[in-house]
Amino acid sequence: MHERQKRSIIILGCTGSVGTTALKALEEYADHFRIVGLSAHGNVKRLSEIARHWNCHHVAITGSYENAHLPSLFAEGTHVHLGKDGLQEMIRGVQADLVLNAIAGADGLAATFAAIESGKDLAFSNKESVVMAGKLLHAHAQAHGVEIIPVDSEHSTLHALLGSFGRDNVSSLVITASGGPFRDFPVENMKDITVVMAIAHPTWSMGPKISIDSATLANKGLEVMEAGFLFDFTVREIEVVIHPQSVVHSFVRMVNGALYAQLSPPDMALPIMAALAGDSYPLREVVRPLDFTDLTLTFMEPDFIKFPLLRHAFTCARLQQSYPIAYNAADEVAVQAFVDGHLTFDHIASVVEETLQSDWAIPFTNLDEILTIDREVRMKASQLANRYR
Ligand code: MG
């Protein structure tokens, strides 16, 4: 295939879990894709290896770096963009069909805006972008004529099912959740959960923040808000069901009472490639077909008492305004305090709950206002977290 016909993509957060899976999956399709920009936070060595391998001439480094070593690390002619401004410069300046935003946490929001404003389609695993920007993101994407495609396995499924059946024929979304490693853990022992225990997820292999969020079900809470904003469903039209095997990646309930699902082994390569390839490339087999031998699928109601962060997410999805921003930022602060050994596991939810007791009924109209509110929440949540030290 001619170079110019290849789909050109920028991958942000290329050394993280989703970035690594994406690059591995893309190996099979190197004749269809060109990687024209890459970013990493701290793993500069790995970034340079990926850039050389893919013959990519633009890289961005958002974290700390040793200036002196940079020129020798990258191939001649590589543009190295430094810091948050450098990242913006690369996203806006480099021509590409699509940006994959796999940056973890709230840091990904500015990158999301840059991709949309520079007229590039956006595939994102950065659910924080949608949770924080809410309805604004959709309006922004429409105004700039770009598509926003979710990479989260649940939302990728919902995106495909809604595309097949039509929004008007669907009455509600049913998001599946593995339930995390503490699904059957006694509630009175939740305070004794260590960081190592919380990071070991039973079915998915992911980064530390999202693994801990999966253990508290805050990740599912964020996904409830993400789905509501992304697909325009109210909180009453979204359900969560616990499904420990992570084989059913979500359902849509039809107005006529039927229920449709997507099933595949738990492997992020499938939703990632669905987002990167779009409709234009018939993909070969991305994951092994599901084997029915010894396959048992179970479903149960989530425990909203043991996992209060799921309950609070539904409240924030209903209240909207800046409550989703508050939920996301307070959770990030609390998870970091837990990782640093300043909070017990059960107090992650306490810090978020106490933060949400402030008044976050604050409207916003642009990125700067979102970031201002985000900073305010972080200050509040840090004060509250410090009281547990
Ligand atoms: Mg997910």
Side-chain angles (χ1 to χ4, degrees):
M1 186 179 274
H2 195 272
E3 279 294 303
R4 290 229 309 274
Q5 292 172 309
K6 288 184 178 180
R7 199 160 157 83
S8 56
I9 55 176
I10 296 174
I11 302 183
L12 310 178
C14 70
T15 58
S17 168
V18 168
T20 302
T21 307
L23 288 165
K24 191 168 161 244
L26 282 168
E27 285 287 336
E28 291 270 316
Y29 303 95
D31 47 343
H32 289 285
F33 294 93
R34 222 155 37 101
I35 298 180
V36 294
L38 290 162
S39 91
H41 190 66
N43 197 345
V44 178
K45 188 166 173 291
R46 181 80 194 109
L47 174 66
S48 75
E49 288 162 6
I50 298 166
R52 280 176 190 275
H53 179 76
W54 285 91
N55 196 23
C56 169
H57 300 302
H58 287 271
V59 296
I61 302 165
T62 52
S64 54
Y65 49 88
E66 299 260 356
N67 247 334
H69 299 301
L70 288 181
S72 58
L73 269 176
F74 293 95
E76 206 176 323
T78 306
H79 301 263
V80 182
H81 306 262
L82 297 176
K84 286 182 178 174
D85 291 344
L87 180 69
Q88 288 278 322
E89 182 185 274
M90 182 179 82
I91 299 169
R92 291 174 192 268
V94 175
Q95 281 217 350
D97 296 314
L98 178 135
V99 174
L100 170 62
N101 184 358
I103 293 175
D107 283 344
L109 181 65
T112 287
F113 272 79
I116 292 173
E117 286 167 2
S118 60
K120 299 174 178 80
D121 286 340
L122 174 78
F124 67 95
S125 64
N126 182 270
K127 64 192 74 169
E128 294 84 354
S129 290
V130 180
V131 171
M132 293 170 77
K135 288 176 175 164
L136 186 61
L137 200 67
H138 223 276
H140 214 51
Q142 263 179 344
H144 289 272
V146 301
E147 231 200 307
I148 45 177
I149 312 142
V151 164
D152 222 339
S153 59
E154 297 81 358
H155 302 73
S156 172
T157 292
L158 295 171
H159 181 78
L161 291 172
L162 287 165
S164 299
F165 295 115
R167 167 67 180 89
D168 291 347
N169 298 315
V170 173
S171 59
S172 66
L173 310 176
V174 186
I175 303 175
T176 49
S178 72
F182 310 118
R183 192 182 63 244
D184 302 320
F185 214 68
V187 66
E188 61 275 16
N189 294 354
M190 297 292 272
K191 64 183 187 317
D192 303 322
I193 291 166
T194 64
V195 174
V196 173
M197 289 161 76
I199 284 176
H201 194 273
T203 48
W204 294 101
S205 162
M206 308 175 290
K209 162 72 165 54
I210 187 172
S211 296
I212 294 169
D213 280 347
S214 297
T216 62
L217 295 200
N219 180 55
K220 208 49 57 180
L222 292 168
E223 290 183 359
V224 166
M225 291 184 265
E226 181 187 3
F229 289 133
L230 204 54
F231 305 120
D232 195 21
F233 280 77
T234 68
V235 68
R236 281 183 200 81
E237 298 165 328
I238 303 174
E239 302 164 54
V240 169
V241 65
I242 302 296
H243 166 50
Q245 297 83 13
S246 302
V247 167
V248 177
H249 299 300
S250 282
F251 302 89
V252 291
R253 279 191 201 279
M254 307 294 285
V255 173
N256 69 7
L259 186 71
Y260 290 99
Q262 185 261 320
L263 288 75
S264 59
D267 185 336
M268 283 302 288
L270 194 63
I272 290 169
M273 287 311 295
L276 295 186
D279 303 328
S280 38
Y281 297 105
L283 293 173
R284 298 183 290 268
E285 190 178 298
V286 177
V287 292
R288 66 191 154 81
L290 198 60
D291 183 358
F292 289 108
T293 321
D294 294 328
L295 182 69
T296 306
L297 302 178
T298 52
F299 302 93
M300 60 205 84
E301 287 285 310
D303 184 340
F304 287 96
I305 305 296
K306 194 160 105 178
F307 298 104
L309 283 173
L310 185 59
R311 191 172 73 239
H312 300 324
F314 274 95
T315 306
C316 291
R318 181 169 51 79
L319 295 174
Q320 297 201 10
Q321 303 221 53
S322 295
Y323 280 92
I325 302 174
Y327 180 97
N328 178 66
D331 179 61
E332 255 186 62
V333 168
V335 167
Q336 191 58 53
F338 170 64
V339 171
D340 293 340
H342 303 320
L343 276 187
T344 55
F345 183 83
D346 55 325
H347 284 155
I348 298 173
S350 311
V351 168
V352 176
E353 185 172 330
E354 289 161 20
T355 306
L356 290 173
Q357 279 158 12
S358 296
D359 181 10
W360 301 109
I362 309 166
F364 55 83
T365 56
N366 58 48
L367 174 62
D368 284 341
E369 288 174 9
I370 296 172
L371 294 176
T372 303
I373 296 159
D374 180 73
R375 273 193 299 275
E376 261 179 62
V377 179
R378 281 165 201 273
M379 266 161 48
K380 179 83 197 161
S382 299
Q383 286 167 5
L384 291 164
N386 278 334
R387 294 204 327 221
Y388 289 94
R389 289 179 78 153

